[in-house]
Amino acid sequence: MFRIGEFSRIGSVTIDTLRHYDSLGLLKPAKVDPFTGYRYYTAKQLQSLNQIVALKEVGFSLEEIARILREKLTTDELRGMLKAQLVLAESTIESAQLRRERILARLDYLTLEENMPAYEVTLKAVDALTVAAIRETVPTIEQMPQCCGEMFNTIAGWMAANDLSFGPPMTIYHNESYVHENIDTECAFVIPGIQIDKVAKPVSPIVVRQMEAIPHVATTIVTDDFHQKVEGLKPAYNAIGQWIEDHGYRIVGAPRELYYGSPEKGDFTAEIQFPVEKA
């Protein structure tokens, strides 16, 4: 038999760890001297100690390890638990990698923040527009590119089949506030130079509607590739918000994003519009 210090050295764990395992009932000494209180362990207990250490290293809690040892799980049962730990570990790695990318992106943003372009915000009137549109609730913000792409493709296919001219595409956000889930989104193409009653009846879920003229919109133009930037259109939105407050206006309608550029040619020109009126 080995005294606790000797067993500690052989098993490469501290004395405090062995005492803790004893208190939890994970690994009790083979013998305790009734007069001195010295703990003694046998060489056969090294296998149990190694198993405890190995299970702890792969992420099991001491409570889970105690259950594994107490219930004497079969190899298949233990293999199943280890596979579950593997899935958890891979998920943790993925989350950490995503967090790392966000941190790096934020560091880049802070580096560039002082050189951010100054957005020129102007006030203008917007004429009534005839649009072909689809309005859907997008489940999550991450699904926005895919869902909007599908809506635009559906509309474009119908317009091409009916020989309609294409004006700029636009996205309208109908939620009262910014949300990450259940985003009430309308994607539309402007149909220029045509009255609404001259347009062929659309196929569901497409609707053709007249968007009313807006006397005043606060607007700014974005020309850089906002899709590739962690801040996206946020700086432009912030600039409009600052302008609205500075000039004594208030928002009275859903914001619009109109896309004039051709990403295939490297042109990402977009316009953000907020309907406003004097506060």
Side-chain angles (χ1 to χ4, degrees):
M1 288 191 175
F2 302 100
R3 291 178 60 175
I4 190 170
E6 298 167 335
F7 190 73
S8 163
R9 189 175 294 110
I10 295 170
S12 299
V13 296
T14 66
I15 291 176
D16 287 342
T17 297
L18 290 173
R19 287 173 175 160
H20 186 49
Y21 290 170
D22 181 9
S23 67
L24 295 176
L26 277 175
L27 184 65
K28 292 200 149 305
K31 176 184 175 182
V32 177
D33 190 300
F35 300 105
T36 63
Y38 289 158
R39 295 173 170 87
Y40 293 90
Y41 296 83
T42 66
K44 289 183 178 180
Q45 290 181 287
L46 288 170
Q47 182 177 358
S48 297
L49 176 61
N50 291 338
Q51 187 176 16
I52 294 169
V53 172
L55 292 172
K56 190 170 183 295
E57 287 177 347
V58 299
F60 288 109
S61 67
L62 293 179
E63 290 75 13
E64 290 172 324
I65 295 171
R67 184 175 70 85
I68 291 171
L69 298 178
R70 181 175 64 253
E71 297 180 1
K72 301 185 184 304
L73 299 183
T74 66
T75 301
D76 285 342
E77 290 172 331
L78 184 56
R79 183 178 288 111
M81 294 185 69
L82 287 171
K83 287 181 177 179
Q85 285 298 110
L86 179 60
V87 171
L88 179 61
E90 289 175 343
S91 174
T92 302
I93 291 171
E94 184 177 345
S95 298
Q97 181 64 29
L98 180 60
R99 187 166 61 252
R100 176 181 180 274
E101 291 173 359
R102 287 175 176 167
I103 292 170
L104 290 173
R106 183 54 53 185
L107 285 171
D108 290 341
Y109 176 60
L110 291 175
T111 301
L112 297 173
E113 195 171 34
E114 293 183 352
N115 300 317
M116 293 285 286
Y119 292 97
E120 181 180 356
V121 180
T122 58
L123 191 69
K124 71 176 185 180
V126 175
D127 294 333
L129 299 171
T130 300
V131 299
I134 297 176
R135 182 171 173 177
E136 293 183 354
T137 299
V138 180
T140 66
I141 192 72
E142 290 78 14
Q143 293 171 272
M144 283 292 289
Q146 178 183 346
C147 292
C148 287
E150 291 172 354
M151 285 189 273
F152 280 126
N153 287 338
T154 300
I155 300 168
W158 175 81
M159 289 178 64
N162 287 273
D163 296 321
L164 294 171
S165 299
F166 283 82
M170 72 169 71
T171 306
I172 307 165
Y173 304 103
H174 293 282
N175 295 90
E176 292 186 3
S177 63
Y178 179 80
V179 292
H180 286 92
E181 298 178 344
N182 300 322
I183 307 153
D184 187 355
T185 307
E186 185 175 11
C187 293
F189 276 98
V190 174
I191 308 176
I194 190 170
Q195 296 296 321
I196 190 170
D197 57 356
K198 302 296 184 182
V199 181
K201 184 177 180 180
V203 178
S204 181
I206 302 170
V207 298
V208 174
R209 70 182 185 92
Q210 191 82 27
M211 297 183 69
E212 295 181 357
I214 304 176
H216 304 290
V217 297
T219 178
T220 191
I221 300 294
V222 181
T223 58
D224 54 357
D225 184 3
F226 53 89
H227 296 285
Q228 300 299 322
K229 297 186 175 182
V230 64
E231 70 274 17
L233 288 170
K234 185 176 181 179
Y237 272 78
N238 289 348
I240 293 177
Q242 188 65 57
W243 186 95
I244 290 172
E245 181 177 287
D246 291 344
H247 291 78
Y249 283 83
R250 64 182 179 184
I251 298 169
V252 292
R256 308 174 179 177
E257 294 174 4
L258 290 89
Y259 314 107
Y260 301 111
S262 173
E264 295 80 7
K265 298 179 181 179
D267 182 359
F268 299 92
T269 304
E271 179 183 4
I272 301 170
Q273 297 178 352
F274 272 83
V276 295
E277 65 179 15
K278 269 294 183 179

